[in-house]
Amino acid sequence: MSVPLLKIGAVLSTMAMVTNWMSQTLPSLVGLNGTTISRAGTSEKITLFPSPEDGWQIYSSAQAPDGKCICTVVAPARSTCTRDPRSKQLRQLMEKVQNISQSMEVLDLRTYRDLQYVRNTESLMKVLDAKLKQATASQKNLNTKTFQDLKEKMDELLPLIPVLDQYKSDVGMIIQLKEEVRNLSGVLLAIQEEMGAYDYEELQHRVLVLEQKLHSCMQKLGCGQLTGVSNPITVRASGSRFGSWMTDTLAPSTDNRVWYMDGYCKVKRVLEYRSLNDFIKGQNFVQHFLPHPWAGTGHVVYNGSLYYNKYQSNIIVKYHFRSRSVLVQRNLNNAGYNNTFPYSWGGFSDIDFMVDENGLWAVYTTNQNAGNIVISKLDPQTLEIIQSWDTGYPKRSAGESFMICGTLYVTNSHLAGAKIYFAYNTNTSTYEYTDIPFHNQYSHISMLDYNPRERVLYTWNNGHQVLYNVTLFHVIKTSGEL
């Protein structure tokens, strides 16, 4: 009795140890525990990539005192994942591990069932043991009936023999499985060192999940105040010293087209790339030729249309890409043009279109405003001015500017050493001087725009197309965890 039960215990103990190894150690070998989720109050941090080189980022965050939350998300562009042939080998190993796991589940079920049978026969063995002791003590009283009873009890225990034989076989299988798992560990560790242990399909899935979390997070975040700008992320180096590039700020998340406009005057050609990855590679684009050349670099694409300033005029134009036609154009009342009131870098940057969470804006100045920056909210359908604000800040002293949540942020220079120096809030008609560092990597910014869909800054910096993540102070609209 004691020997079979000892074997049963050994089998169960071995299975428990191997199962524990499968559940805890194996995921780290194949990279399945690469995502780290930590919670502190209402904050959540998810990390997939060890460095920015693995993909350009989308980032949004908030402080977390007294009912406010932090939402920090870093996501790579989907196109950065490419197929590695070694991932096929990794998948095959994972299938083998899965087969081993299934075999162990069968062993576990069978061991549990047989153990129950052994426990049920324990009472029979005790009765038999008692009768054997009684027969040994009183051999004179042995008779045919006594021997018949002993034989019947022994016959009831006969099914236990194949069960114990099965235990011996299972012990051998456990030893074999342990050896296979040990061999797999060595192979998987070698693959991990060589390729980082990530199956790209799994990585792609994580990116999709992360993007969903990003969308959910941003839906819960209201408008916020700018508190910081990240280091620059260079997407591409192309074109001349001046230009602009952008995505449609009102397009659905599946629309990743990029528009590219090289130069700041007398140019009509707009390139439309199918995706950010195509833009990076300089492939898969179509050309649009505008009916009128543009002036400056302050253009935006908004809901399928390009808004730009017609060269040598204060006429603003809405050009629809799909129909390849001008839907509306009108004079921007008294707005300076032709380098009358440009930014400090010049370049016919008199009129600057912007889009934020509140809609379409134009930033410019007039003689009546003595060269100070004017902000006008525009009707995107008619281009009529809905409301205007005089900021009191001289436009020629501004390097560039951008709108976030109804607030205009102004840099004090377009050259190295620039910082975000001034902010005008149209919601309260108030201004303040700020001191937000802004790393001007290539020393000459000629375009700076905020994209509310992605919550990043797009810049054209001395022939480089660059992104900046922004940090905003938010207040949650609705209750609940992020």
Side-chain angles (χ1 to χ4, degrees), residues 459-470:
T459 67
W460 187 293
N461 194 337
N462 211 0
H464 297 79
Q465 292 72 53
V466 181
L467 293 172
Y468 292 84
N469 300 315
V470 297

Side-chain angles (χ1 to χ4, degrees), residues 54-66:
D54 292 304
W56 69 282
Q57 302 170 336
I58 300 171
Y59 178 98
S60 177
S61 70
Q63 305 296 330
D66 301 328

Side-chain angles (χ1 to χ4, degrees), residues 9 18 82 97 99 105 153 187 191 193 205 217 226 229 244 264 268 284 309 339 404 412 448 453 478:
V18 177
T82 56
V97 170
N99 292 337
E105 288 179 4
K153 296 299 181 183
V187 176
I191 292 177
E193 293 176 358
H205 173 69
C217 175
L226 182 68
V229 177
S244 60
Y264 65 86
K268 295 183 179 181
N284 296 327
N309 175 210
N339 269 340
I404 298 181
N412 62 348
L448 177 60
R453 186 181 74 164
T478 56

